Amino acid sequence: MAAVRTSRSRKGRTTGGAGRDGGPLRAVGRVLRSPVRGAGRLIRRLTHAHGAGESGLGKLIELHAVNGAGDVLITVALASTVFFSVPTDEARGRVALYLAITMAPFTLLAPVIGPLIDRIPYGRRAAMASSMGARAVLALVLTGAVAGGGLQLYPAALGVLMCSKAYGVVRSAVVPRLLPRRFSLVKANSRVTLGGLVATGVAAPVGAGLHQLGPRWPLYAACAVFVAGTLLSLSLPKKVDSAKGEEPALLAADPEHLHGPHRRTPGDRPRLALRTVGTSVTHGLVVNASQRVLSGFLLFFLAFLLREHPMSGQSVAVSMGIVGVAAGTGNALGTAVGAWVRSRPPERIIVSVVALVVVAAVLAAAFFGAAMVAVLAGVAGFAQALSKLSLDAMIQRDVPEQVRTSAFARSETTLQMAWVVGGAIGISLPLVGPLGLGVAAVIVGAGWALTARGLLHAATTRGRRHLA
């Protein structure tokens, strides 16, 4: 009897234990959750490494990844509606209308974003959270537009674009506030940008898969992603909103500011023109702007060109995918290389990598073909990433700390406007490959020719000063 009772008690304990553990269903749940938790812990270790967790930079990296994932999900949904769902001629007209309605207003409003940040420096977390929350709502609005073709597509797309660009400007202004010890701004921006690229690469195929379920599903996913981004924005450190010691910066100097900060009068906010800190920053901004023009141009021109004339033996989707992968790989490689070359003069880096783009564009125009188009996309992505990191380094080095945040906001606004101009040029040209890539060579070649001499002279002069 005792043996029977012991056996029953053991069985009861076993059964009870299984009940407490949840039985087979909970076991399956643990198995399914384990990879997710493991991936989460791995991501957190990567984003918070080398002091990024303590400074708050790790959370900004994660926020930028969320931003990139949400934007690409909306892009997948809009591309299927505006671009792929109709014949080429009609698609070109739709995209032209999309550019006119969404990007033209942004070109007019973009110069306001930088000064607005100067006026509300204490609301950076709220500004990023508002950008995320607004895009979550607009993604839901777009679900009706992509399914029924409603007129709300274009104003809602304009809102998404404006919120995305505003986030980019605010994010550039936030990075200097979250630098870990012994972290250069080049390395910090490299980490943030790489996080966004990785998230974009992961979200793009997910969005394409969701689109197979229906045109609304990528937008539902985008809404969920942006809701998470809203909460993550508010969790950033409070020092993000600190504006202690900051002053606004000007991209163009008038006679009053040309030779340095003007004398302050009571009630007057001090200003500093970027030209007063040397020509490297302004020259770097010009050549980066030419590359943003090239980026916008290639995106729209090649999208229509490859749709009309796919690569030999490939479908339209595969042709676009090859170019997209080449550009993304080049961009990621340039971002990774940024930390390795951070001790070299950024002026020389910019001159060197942009020269490569000029050569690649000339060769692609002269020997137009699938391979050369992919090479140009990869080289352009590599150079754009490395040039932007070099521009960030020059701003960190040459612009005084009290105006550095404002300088980042203004420079980012200028680069966004340049991308808009490039997109407009790309949509207006005839779909002739050698002609378009010839225009691309002229665009980036002009930016390089106007700035190369000044950048090299600035680098040489700075080197002599260090030797002296």
Side-chain angles (χ1 to χ4, degrees):
M1 292 294 294
V4 171
R5 285 195 298 269
T6 303
S7 175
R8 286 178 178 176
S9 63
R10 286 177 180 174
K11 184 176 180 181
R13 285 196 299 269
T14 303
T15 304
R20 288 192 298 271
D21 292 340
L25 291 179
R26 290 198 178 183
V28 172
R30 287 196 298 271
V31 171
L32 294 177
R33 288 196 302 268
S34 180
V36 176
R37 289 179 177 177
R41 287 193 292 268
L42 177 60
I43 292 172
R44 180 56 59 95
R45 282 201 303 268
L46 292 175
T47 58
H48 285 55
H50 304 108
E54 291 78 3
S55 71
L57 183 66
K59 285 190 176 181
L60 183 62
I61 294 172
E62 294 168 355
L63 176 63
H64 193 60
V66 168
N67 175 79
D71 276 348
V72 79
L73 289 170
I74 289 182
T75 300
V76 168
L78 292 181
S80 64
T81 301
V82 177
F83 187 73
F84 288 106
S85 61
V86 295
T88 300
D89 291 339
E90 186 179 348
R92 196 170 188 182
R94 285 192 179 192
V95 174
L97 179 61
Y98 174 80
L99 285 173
I101 294 179
T102 61
M103 294 188 179
F106 175 73
T107 304
L108 298 176
L109 294 175
V112 179
I113 296 177
L116 182 62
I117 293 175
D118 287 337
R119 293 180 179 276
I120 52 170
Y122 296 99
R124 293 182 186 125
R125 288 186 301 174
M128 287 190 285
S130 298
S131 167
M132 295 286 179
R135 278 180 284 175
V137 174
L138 290 170
L140 293 179
V141 173
L142 284 170
T143 57
V146 297
L151 293 177
Q152 68 266 35
L153 171 68
Y154 294 103
L158 169 62
V160 170
L161 178 70
M162 291 295 298
C163 291
S164 179
K165 302 307 181 185
Y167 162 83
V169 172
V170 178
R171 192 263 303 171
S172 294
V174 164
V175 172
R177 288 284 173 188
L178 300 178
L179 283 180
R181 288 185 178 182
R182 288 175 281 187
F183 244 60
S184 70
L185 196 57
V186 174
K187 186 174 182 179
N189 277 283
S190 178
R191 279 202 180 189
V192 174
T193 304
L194 192 58
L197 289 174
V198 171
T200 298
V202 172
V206 171
L210 290 173
H211 186 264
Q212 300 302 314
L213 302 176
R216 296 182 176 184
W217 283 99
L219 294 170
Y220 289 139
C223 177
V225 168
F226 284 128
V227 168
T230 302
L231 300 177
L232 190 56
S233 299
L234 296 175
S235 71
L236 289 172
K238 292 183 178 180
K239 61 183 176 182
V240 165
D241 289 333
S242 173
K244 184 178 180 180
E246 293 184 5
E247 300 170 3
L250 301 175
L251 287 178
D254 55 42
E256 184 181 2
H257 304 98
L258 187 59
H259 301 291
H262 68 288
R263 293 185 177 180
R264 299 177 61 180
T265 57
D268 186 22
R269 294 188 68 189
R271 293 188 170 194
L272 179 68
L274 294 187
R275 289 182 184 176
T276 64
V277 297
T279 59
S280 291
V281 172
T282 49
H283 283 156
L285 184 58
V286 169
V287 74
N288 269 270
S290 73
Q291 291 185 90
R292 288 297 180 94
V293 173
L294 175 68
S295 174
F297 171 82
L298 289 179
L299 174 65
F300 289 98
F301 180 77
L302 290 179
F304 283 106
L305 178 67
L306 294 176
R307 176 171 178 170
E308 190 71 16
H309 307 288
M311 294 180 178
S312 301
Q314 304 295 338
S315 66
V316 175
V318 171
S319 298
M320 293 182 180
I322 291 173
V323 175
V325 168
T329 301
N331 204 310
L333 182 60
T335 302
V337 170
W340 176 68
V341 298
R342 63 183 180 273
S343 60
R344 302 192 180 191
E347 295 91 346
R348 296 188 185 278
I349 294 173
I350 292 177
V351 172
S352 300
V353 296
V354 178
L356 292 178
V357 180
V358 175
V359 172
V362 170
L363 291 176
F367 306 100
F368 179 75
M372 291 308 302
V373 169
V375 169
L376 174 59
V379 172
F382 174 83
Q384 179 179 315
L386 202 48
S387 295
K388 180 58 169 64
L389 292 173
S390 298
L391 174 63
D392 292 344
M394 290 189 292
I395 293 177
Q396 180 194 29
R397 181 194 68 194
D398 294 345
V399 177
E401 184 178 0
Q402 67 269 24
V403 295
R404 192 179 296 152
T405 299
S406 178
F408 269 104
R410 311 247 178 170
S411 65
E412 184 64 25
T413 300
T414 300
L415 296 179
Q416 298 289 2
M417 292 173 62
W419 188 88
V420 171
V421 172
I425 297 173
I427 197 66
S428 63
L429 282 183
L431 299 180
V432 180
L435 172 63
L437 298 187
V439 171
V442 170
I443 290 172
V444 71
W448 184 83
L450 290 172
T451 58
R453 184 177 179 182
L455 288 170
L456 291 175
H457 176 73
T460 302
T461 301
R462 181 172 293 276
R464 289 173 180 171
R465 288 175 182 171
H466 284 302
L467 291 176

